[in-house]
Amino acid sequence: LGGGGGGGIGGTGIGSGGVGTGTGMDCSWQAKVVSEMAALRRAQAALERDKKQSLFLGLSLVDTMKTCLRLGHAKEAAALKKQFGITEARWIWLKLTAAAETKDWTRLLDLAGELRRSSPVGLDKFLDAARKYDAPQNILAQLVGKMTDSTEKAEFYTEINMPKEAAEVAARLRDRDLFSRLQSAITTSSPAGLYLAQLGEKYMPGIGGSSTIK
């Protein structure tokens, strides 16, 4: 999600490096960027005036929006999205990143719950952000739990040290190879091992007692 609204200020680092002067640069494009820079500066000045916070002037568009979101100015961030044509994918990424950076795990879960099947950003991006900013185990588990059963979901459970849940996913998928690999990491005679043996027999008769670790 490194790009923004095409060739506009979403991807040019407005406020943190100025306008490039490459040879042969199209004059109309250059004029558009200059115009958008001026519009962003006006929007930043308005934010500082209205919010009485000297935080926005000089920031890029992305950082301006992230700062708004981190401070709870969601309406203003949404207005910037509309004004500068930020893509839906980048908008979702900005919101989830802001929530993770401020460790607002409730907000992050709410955002994940709002995703549609056609969303350009997957739950894996929410999980990546949560792990990067040290979300607690229960938050990671809830994010993985929102995913549709898949090999990737089972692997995510394994990565956050939840082998039992990973094996349950493999069983529901009836993926014998994956289930056997996950089951082999759990002691056969332990409560978890006995549970997985029963689970395997339920979904894949004949595989239940395949654990090798005693």
Side-chain angles (χ1 to χ4, degrees):
L1 294 175
I9 68 175
T12 59
I14 294 303
S16 59
V19 183
T21 57
T23 302
M25 175 176 286
D26 183 79
C27 290
S28 63
W29 181 88
Q30 192 172 30
K32 180 176 184 289
V33 172
V34 171
S35 174
E36 289 182 333
M37 287 179 66
L40 176 60
R41 186 172 179 83
R42 288 194 297 271
Q44 291 171 333
L47 280 168
E48 294 200 347
R49 182 180 63 251
D50 295 344
K51 303 302 179 183
K52 295 180 173 56
Q53 295 172 311
S54 300
L55 300 171
F56 301 100
L57 282 173
L59 297 179
S60 68
L61 172 60
V62 166
D63 286 339
T64 300
M65 295 176 69
K66 284 177 69 175
T67 300
C68 283
L69 291 167
R70 284 196 293 262
L71 295 174
H73 306 325
K75 181 179 178 181
E76 288 76 7
L80 290 171
K81 171 187 181 293
K82 182 177 180 180
Q83 179 180 357
F84 294 104
I86 297 299
T87 64
E88 188 64 20
R90 193 173 191 85
W91 175 235
I92 295 172
W93 178 79
L94 284 169
K95 290 192 292 183
L96 76 88
T97 301
E101 287 178 350
T102 56
K103 300 186 184 298
D104 188 345
W105 308 125
T106 298
R107 176 60 177 155
L108 188 69
L109 291 172
D110 286 345
L111 289 170
E114 295 170 3
L115 288 183
R116 300 175 181 175
R117 289 183 180 276
S118 59
S119 173
V121 177
L123 283 165
D124 58 317
K125 300 302 182 185
F126 285 76
L127 185 62
D128 289 344
R131 294 172 72 179
K132 179 178 179 179
Y133 292 99
D134 302 318
Q137 177 80 2
N138 68 305
I139 299 299
L140 300 178
Q142 289 182 69
L143 287 170
V144 177
K146 291 179 181 293
M147 297 178 177
T148 301
D149 281 351
S150 63
T151 300
E152 184 182 40
K153 180 178 180 177
E155 296 293 353
F156 279 135
Y157 269 132
T158 300
E159 290 174 9
I160 63 173
N161 196 31
M162 298 182 70
K164 176 173 165 287
E165 288 75 9
E168 288 174 342
V169 172
R172 290 194 295 271
L173 292 172
R174 290 177 169 78
D175 186 329
R176 289 176 174 266
D177 290 340
L178 178 59
F179 184 85
S180 295
R181 177 164 60 85
L182 294 168
Q183 187 184 31
S184 69
I186 298 175
T187 303
T188 306
S189 59
S190 69
L194 295 174
Y195 168 73
L196 291 191
Q198 295 174 350
L199 189 69
E201 286 298 328
K202 176 182 177 181
Y203 287 96
M204 297 166 288
I207 200 174
S210 62
S211 281
T212 58
I213 297 180
K214 305 298 182 182

